[in-house]
Amino acid sequence: MQIDTTWLRKQFAQFNRQYFDSKLPTPRFYVGYSRTQLGSLSWKQGTLWNNRPYRSFTIRMSNYYDQSEHSFQSVLLHEMIHLAIAHSGIKDTSPHGVVFRKMMERFNNDGWDIHVMTRIENMDRSNLKPRNTYQLYLVLALQMDNGQRFLSSVNPRYAIKLNKEIPSIHEITHFSWYMSSDAWFASIPRVRSLRGIPVDSEFYNEKLRTMTPTEIPDLPPGTYYE
């Protein structure tokens, strides 16, 4: 079988309730065709609007090999263990150390098949072709009266609300909306309020040159992952 981000979100929510008391933050999901990694967890941290810190997690999984649903679920749980350790701030002895292995053993006792490393040499390659899809991001670009510049990846459901709020904030001297498929926006939180990543003017202008201007609420339907 092959999986997609809809499957990942559904399974993640189920396992989060079942094994983690719904305490794990929902990460971004990405399905690719890696030959060497069945799954991975990555995260970034930095400073948001008004110097608020953030951490953004991403779970990536591969459709390159033909796996059963149970195998895909076990890979996802592997990455969720990593997420639980990273989110809690627990210091393990190694990436697959004592804490990881204790959680892995508990899950495997419940019928899962989680491994520290999975041998892929004898795995069958999926005969399904990669999907030619990409994700679009709704981007808000802001300039402040003190010269600062911010870029935000905005949840489209909140775009109209934010668009109405911006004119009342006198510190904002200019703002514009864009569409972008730039993967850089996958590494920052997708916001529902006026928050953004501070960037320098060179980076700001470089991103603007590569994006397509858009108007709110004239957004292309069906182009976002929820």
Side-chain angles (χ1 to χ4, degrees):
M1 66 171 287
Q2 279 199 318
I3 61 172
D4 55 23
T5 54
T6 300
W7 182 92
L8 275 175
R9 280 193 287 276
K10 180 179 178 181
Q11 297 295 319
F12 181 92
Q14 174 184 324
F15 292 147
N16 199 7
R17 291 190 300 269
Q18 183 176 355
Y19 294 116
F20 300 95
D21 297 324
S22 297
K23 294 181 179 178
L24 296 185
T26 301
R28 294 179 180 274
F29 298 107
Y30 176 81
V31 177
Y33 289 84
S34 172
R35 298 184 184 186
T36 58
Q37 286 187 310
L38 300 181
S40 66
L41 172 76
S42 61
W43 65 89
K44 293 179 179 288
Q45 59 186 24
T47 303
L48 284 170
W49 186 276
N50 293 334
N51 294 320
R52 294 174 59 183
Y54 81 91
R55 284 200 298 175
S56 176
F57 296 94
T58 301
I59 287 179
R60 292 175 169 84
M61 291 182 58
S62 175
N63 266 333
Y64 188 82
Y65 297 100
D66 185 21
Q67 299 185 77
S68 66
E69 183 171 45
H70 187 269
S71 295
F72 277 118
Q73 290 169 324
S74 295
V75 174
L76 175 59
L77 281 168
H78 179 124
E79 304 312 328
M80 290 179 73
I81 295 174
H82 283 306
L83 175 58
I85 294 172
H87 179 62
S88 66
I90 294 174
K91 301 297 183 183
D92 205 349
T93 55
S94 68
H96 297 100
V98 173
V99 177
F100 181 95
R101 290 170 185 268
K102 183 176 181 180
M103 296 178 69
M104 179 180 71
E105 181 180 1
R106 176 164 62 89
F107 290 161
N108 285 342
N109 287 338
D110 199 28
W112 299 107
D113 190 27
I114 305 170
H115 303 276
V116 170
M117 297 291 290
T118 300
R119 297 185 64 87
I120 61 177
E121 291 86 351
N122 298 321
M123 294 182 67
D124 293 328
R125 178 178 174 179
S126 172
N127 59 5
L128 297 177
K129 295 181 180 180
R131 301 170 182 172
N132 295 321
T133 60
Y134 61 93
Q135 181 170 355
L136 287 177
Y137 303 94
L138 176 61
V139 177
L140 173 61
L142 296 170
Q143 296 184 39
M144 314 299 290
D145 57 6
N146 62 0
Q148 281 190 299
R149 290 167 170 78
F150 293 87
L151 292 173
S152 299
S153 174
V154 176
N155 186 318
R157 293 181 178 179
Y158 296 84
I160 294 176
K161 173 178 176 289
L162 297 186
N163 198 55
K164 292 179 179 178
E165 291 179 1
I166 292 172
S168 66
I169 301 177
H170 302 299
E171 292 85 357
I172 298 176
T173 58
H174 183 267
F175 72 96
S176 49
W177 294 91
Y178 297 88
M179 302 299 303
S180 176
S181 59
D182 188 335
W184 182 82
F185 293 101
S187 68
I188 65 176
R190 191 174 66 167
V191 302
R192 302 178 179 182
S193 59
L194 284 176
R195 297 182 293 145
I197 303 296
V199 296
D200 61 38
S201 59
E202 182 179 356
F203 186 87
Y204 181 89
N205 292 328
E206 175 187 342
K207 291 300 180 188
L208 263 57
R209 285 193 294 269
T210 66
M211 299 190 294
T212 303
T214 190
E215 299 291 336
I216 304 298
D218 297 327
L219 303 176
T223 53
Y224 308 97
Y225 293 116
E226 297 298 340

